[in-house]
Amino acid sequence: MDEEVTSASLALPPGKRMAVALTFDFDAHSPWMGTMGRTSPSYLSRGDFGAEQGVPRLLELLGRNDLPATWATPGHDLVTFPHRIEQILAAGHEIAAHGCYHEVVPDLGPDEERRLMEVALRQHEQVVGRRPRGYRSPAWDFSESTLGLLEEFGFDWDSSLMGREFEPYRPRRVTVNYESASEFGPESRIVEIPVSWYLDDWPSVEYVAGVSPLGSHRDMEDRWNTIFDYAHQRVPGAVYVLTMHPQTIGRAHHLLVLEALVERMLAAGDVWFATLSEIADAWQG
């Protein structure tokens, strides 16, 4: 089977063929109150489930298999559920930035986006004890100002964009011209570790009235396994990033899907499980 040729390389540990990042967007209340604009007790209780049952279940799974993870967490959920953040840190995992309250970033003016970034970073310092190295945009969307803010505030990596499938890269600003070619700016110093809606649990199986129907966890399982097979077989040095949410993947039937996939990856014997910061440090691009 032919292998893909990539333009940059990942410094993998000896005997490893690819990297897998298990990432959890610990949103809790934030996606409902922020992106969705829903604050009824019913919606907030789903965030409560993610914090109070989903997180402990995931920490048990990770601990049982001695696996690291990156938890992208809005500032609001850091200060609302600090006891869970303490447990995540005690288990040796990484906390990344994920906005202030899961705000809709493209709708913000430049001054407001900067202000909310500053609020979120203060909350990281308050709860985590340090600023995060990496950022994931709420709902994976940028404004015209976002990349510049990440550079200005000293982030090392971002994991929000989709310009590659299995390879980190350096994002560029794009000036869109409708009647002539779009123009690309220079590469950023930020390392982009790409994401995919196909490797996200929320759009597949999180029911939101009037927005998304109940999806099949078996369809999600098949998709995740098929994408892993392609990366593992055809892309040496691939980076496979799963994006999951404690209130979604933490449900019993979804958790069993994740457990089976993790066991399959471990059985391969040549998969390096790493945090997003470890992958950014290992990428030679």
Side-chain angles (χ1 to χ4, degrees), residues 137-208:
S137 173
W140 289 342
D141 213 351
F142 273 21
S143 75
E144 295 298 321
S145 304
T146 307
L147 186 57
L149 287 173
L150 298 184
E151 293 167 337
E152 177 185 340
F153 284 98
F155 285 95
D156 295 324
W157 57 262
D158 174 70
S159 188
S160 312
L161 304 178
M162 308 179 194
R164 306 290 187 276
E165 190 167 24
F166 303 116
E167 180 188 355
Y169 65 103
R170 297 193 186 276
R172 298 176 293 174
R173 295 168 177 81
V174 181
T175 300
V176 176
N177 298 311
Y178 286 88
E179 297 184 15
S180 60
S182 293
E183 302 172 47
F184 293 94
E187 290 185 340
S188 173
R189 66 163 187 79
I190 300 291
V191 177
E192 183 63 41
I193 307 173
V195 292
S196 168
W197 289 114
Y198 300 107
L199 293 175
D200 187 316
D201 58 356
W202 188 284
S204 297
V205 294
E206 188 65 52
Y207 173 74
V208 183

Side-chain angles (χ1 to χ4, degrees), residues 27-59:
D27 296 330
H29 291 173
S30 289
W32 305 116
M33 55 185 278
T35 300
M36 300 287 182
R38 306 182 186 203
T39 58
S40 72
S42 178
Y43 282 103
L44 294 182
S45 72
R46 292 162 70 171
D48 291 342
F49 167 82
E52 304 302 355
Q53 280 205 300
V55 170
R57 288 176 176 180
L58 292 168
L59 288 176

